[in-house]
Amino acid sequence: MLFPIGDDNADRTGTPVVNYVIILLNVLVFVFLQGLGSNDKFTYAFSTVPAEIITGRDIATDNRVVVQPMTGQEIEMPGLQRTPIPVYLTLITSMFMHGGIAHIFGNMLFLWIFGDNIEHRLGHLRYAIFYLVCGILAGLAHVISTVVFAGDNQASLLIPSLGASGAISGVLGGYILLFPTRRVTVLLSYFVTQVPAFIAIGLWFVFQLISGLGMLGGGSQAGGVAYAAHIGGFVAGLALIKVFEIGRPPSDYVPR
């Protein structure tokens, strides 16, 4: 599997202020409000819950004890917390929260690599709007797929989702359309090499698609990963990037 670690920024001028601010906000929320993932009450209050989005009603549930199938260990899982804002706004707040250090590290690395180029192409304000819109549409894609594939498992509608992955997937969708041949530095096993963006991002999307199709019959989330949000965000980025690019000067990027 290819793991991106950098890209060609030879044509980038200026500072990607918005991208840096988004990364900083994610880190600050994770460290100070989520307590590095330990503050379950905050996390469960501001995550996106499909049942809340489709009903427009805030839902609170009791803590529950679940048994680990492999070890038999009992773990107390927190219930949904009261949300002090309209539940629809959780489609935005959930974009700035993460489930763990690995989760936020991977997301912020991808945003650091690919977001600055999209901001350079669109401009600061357009990039900020593009990022938020892709994240919201990704969240809605997750909600809709959860409802469609829930079947008899209505409890899946109460599973909260969070993370910047959907919005970042939108950034990747825009990137592969605008810069398909831009060189991306990737880690391949123990080797560092460069490949065109359409290979690095294309393989990532194929993995999301295969993984998503493989588990949709059991709901929209498996193994803690909301693949429908990744796919929905990516498609949103593909569909919207050219609209947001209208009126911008032609790109001066020349593949090396």
Side-chain angles (χ1 to χ4, degrees), residues 108-146:
M108 294 305 100
L109 177 62
F110 269 62
L111 188 56
W112 177 274
I113 294 170
F114 299 108
D116 56 347
N117 306 99
I118 300 299
E119 182 174 351
H120 173 68
R121 187 73 199 96
L122 299 183
H124 304 310
L125 180 59
R126 291 193 190 193
Y127 174 65
I129 297 173
F130 174 78
Y131 182 88
L132 291 174
V133 169
C134 286
I136 291 171
L137 292 177
L140 290 174
H142 169 68
V143 170
I144 292 171
S145 64
T146 300

Side-chain angles (χ1 to χ4, degrees), residues 116-238:
D116 56 347
N117 306 99
I118 300 299
E119 182 174 351
H120 173 68
R121 187 73 199 96
L122 299 183
H124 304 310
L125 180 59
R126 291 193 190 193
Y127 174 65
I129 297 173
F130 174 78
Y131 182 88
L132 291 174
V133 169
C134 286
I136 291 171
L137 292 177
L140 290 174
H142 169 68
V143 170
I144 292 171
S145 64
T146 300
V147 173
V148 170
F149 295 100
D152 296 331
N153 183 24
Q154 292 299 300
S156 64
L157 299 178
L158 297 176
I159 299 176
S161 66
L162 74 169
S165 304
I168 296 171
S169 297
V171 170
L172 296 179
Y175 193 105
I176 197 174
L177 195 61
L178 293 182
F179 312 112
T181 59
R182 185 182 289 264
R183 307 303 294 180
V184 176
T185 304
V186 299
L187 183 64
L188 177 60
S189 186
Y190 297 103
F191 301 96
V192 174
T193 186
Q194 288 188 326
V195 297
F198 72 87
I199 292 180
I201 298 176
L203 288 176
W204 171 88
F205 180 70
V206 169
F207 174 79
Q208 304 303 312
L209 191 61
I210 293 174
S211 299
L213 292 176
M215 58 73 188
L216 283 179
S220 71
Q221 183 166 305
V225 180
Y227 289 106
H230 295 185
I231 296 170
F234 187 84
V235 172
L238 285 174

Side-chain angles (χ1 to χ4, degrees), residues 20 34 60 92-93 136 140 142 153 180 202 232 248 255:
Y20 291 163
Q34 289 188 267
I92 297 177
T93 58
I136 291 171
L140 290 174
H142 169 68
N153 183 24
R248 295 290 295 172

